[in-house]
Structure formats: structure tokens, C-alpha cells
Amino acid sequence: MNIAFLACSTTLPGAPDRRADAFEHDQQMAALTAALAPGETVTDIDWRAPLADFAGFDLALIGTPWDYQDHRAAFLAKLEAIAALGIAVCNAPDVVRWNIDKGYLAELAARGVATIPTLLLDNPGRAEILAAFDHFSCDRVIAKRRVGAGAEGQFDFTRDAPPPPDWQMGHPALVQPFLPAIVDEGEHSLIFIDGQFSHGLIKRPAAGDYRVQSLYGGWDTAVTPAPADLAAAEAVLTGLPFPAPLYARIDLVRGPDGTLLLMEAELIEPFLYPLQGPELGPRLLAGIRRRLTSSAPGSRS
Ligand SMILES: Nc1ncnc2c1ncn2[C@@H]1O[C@H](COP(=O)(O)OP(=O)(O)O)[C@@H](O)[C@H]1O
Ligand SMILES: [Mg+2]
């Protein structure tokens, strides 16, 4: 069984312009490598590699292709082309297609999932941001790209520091009230493998920032979620319009009423925090083996 771990030119080892957070790539590869059985391999490969380079792999795991945001169509087309070779892709291209646009938050909210209140706007300007303060009855909003990751291209506005008159987001956007719990408590990440809770952590921003990503100095601690917090994350998985995929990282922040609200259901290329969840490698590989066995010709399970 040969696994391709999809990466990109700035996360692969040896890249001259390797990202500062590429240690996360190494941690995930190490977790998988340590859990391999004899005869199994995992190889990191650029998602842009020619299709011929994928011959011989049984499954492509979407690992660290952390540059697809501006190449969405090419990324999806590549996943579909890999799948068309008979190589299982996890998570599946349909799941990726659904998850790549954060507009899915509105769909989940409509299905009863507790999400951060969200306005979907085409290309907001100053007027839309000013209206959002009133709409949410708040003094601070976050504007982020519907297709985005790593807090790139994200804006943080207050009534005291609103956008300048000529400001335009330049992208389809989500606008949300700023939740102060991101600073006071942090962002919860609960990691599920095949729908089963695996491990959890809280990510906190560096002093003076509100972004929890390691690129901005964010740091994290493993936590065992309280029953109500675990239930909030499980409700997100149940609300998905498809069965729980191989891996899911559910990111939530506490709202003013004390319940955890969905920030993002990360089903494409989330970092899965192997150091906080030492069982991650074995659990992922077990899920992969289950998939490859049940899709084998003639198999009925
Ligand atoms: N509504 C919000 N309130 C407070 N902080 C937020 C809010 N939305 C985003 N953030 C901060 O910005 C970061 C990036 O936003 P997120 O929605 O997770 O997008 P992505 O991770 O895809 O860039 C979050 O991890 C969090 O630190
Ligand atoms: Mg996020």
C-alpha cells in the first residue's frame, strides 16, 4: 500500500523558500511514517507534479498543499484527475469542492449547526462593513475571503478604525462579528478520524494579535474537551451533507452565551497536530487501510 502525501513547493523538504510553518509538514509525515506496517509507504509529493508521477500510489492524502487558494480550479481538477487514475483521494474531491468555499457556513447554520454569525458578501466595501457593525450590534468585525486559509487576506475593522472610503475586499467575503473569546480563551480544534474523536487542543494568539496560526506566533496546548464542547463539534460532523470523511478538524470559538460556535470545518488540508495526538498516525492509517480494503475489486465490505 503506497500513500502519496500531497504537498506543495514551499512545504516539501529542501525547498529553498520553505514556509516558516513547514515543520508541520514534517510532523505529519513523521506521524504517518512511524505508523506504517511492512510493505506500506508514504511519500510526499508536490500536488502540481505531472500526473504520471502518481502511478503506483493507492491513495493520495491531501497533506500540505498550502498554496491552492489562488489556484482552486487547478487544484480540484488535479484531485479529480488523480482519482480518475483509480487512486483514492482523501478527503474526496466532492468533499473538497464543498469545503473550499466558506459559504458552507450558511448551509450548516441552516441545518441547525451553531456557527459564528456570518454575512456572505460579494466584494464588500466601506459601506458594507459599516452596515455589518449595525447588523451584528458590535464594534469589531472580521472580513475574510470565502476561499482562503491561514488568515491570508483577512481584515479586522473596528468602529474607531473602519475601512478607508476607497477600500474594497477584492474577493467574495464572509463578514463576522469579532469574538473576544479568541483572545481570552483561544480557538478549539477537535480532530476526528472517520467520525471518531481523536484529540483536541486550544490555539491561542500571540500577545497583541488575534490570529492563532503559528505563522503569527500562535501557540497551542492539548486539552480534553468538556462534554458540551465535544458535543458541539460532533454536531458539526452530523450536520455535514455527507458521511464523516477520513479526517476532519473542527475549529470553534466560544460565543457570548458560552457555547462553542463553528469557525471552520477543516476538511481539505488541516494540520492535524500529531504531537498533541500521538495516536493520529495509527488512526489515519487504519482509516486508509479500511478504505483500500473495502474498495478492492470483489470486496463486499
Ligand atoms: N469571527 C472571528 N472572531 C475572532 N477571531 C477570528 C474570527 N474569524 C477569524 N478569526 C481569527 O482569524 C483566524 C483565521 O480565520 P479562519 O476563519 O480560521 O480562516 P483560515 O484559517 O481559513 O484563514 C482564526 O484562526 C482566528 O484566530
Ligand atoms: Mg482557521
Side-chain angles (χ1 to χ4, degrees), residues 102 144 149-151 154 176-177 179 187 210-213 264:
K102 289 178 182 159
K144 48 190 158 185
Q154 189 167 293
Q176 299 178 333
L179 296 183
E187 176 175 325
Y210 74 97
R211 297 163 303 183
V212 301
Q213 286 68 26
E264 273 192 285

Side-chain angles (χ1 to χ4, degrees), residues 25 32 69 71 94 104 122 157 159 171 202 204 206 216 219 223-225 239 246 261 267 289 294:
H25 172 103
L32 288 166
Q69 298 88 309
H71 312 275
D94 284 350
Y104 68 75
D122 264 351
F157 294 118
R159 284 194 196 258
H171 291 277
I202 293 188
R204 293 194 175 83
Y216 304 105
W219 51 284
V223 289
T224 303
L246 175 63
L261 304 179
L267 310 181
R289 290 181 199 117
S294 65

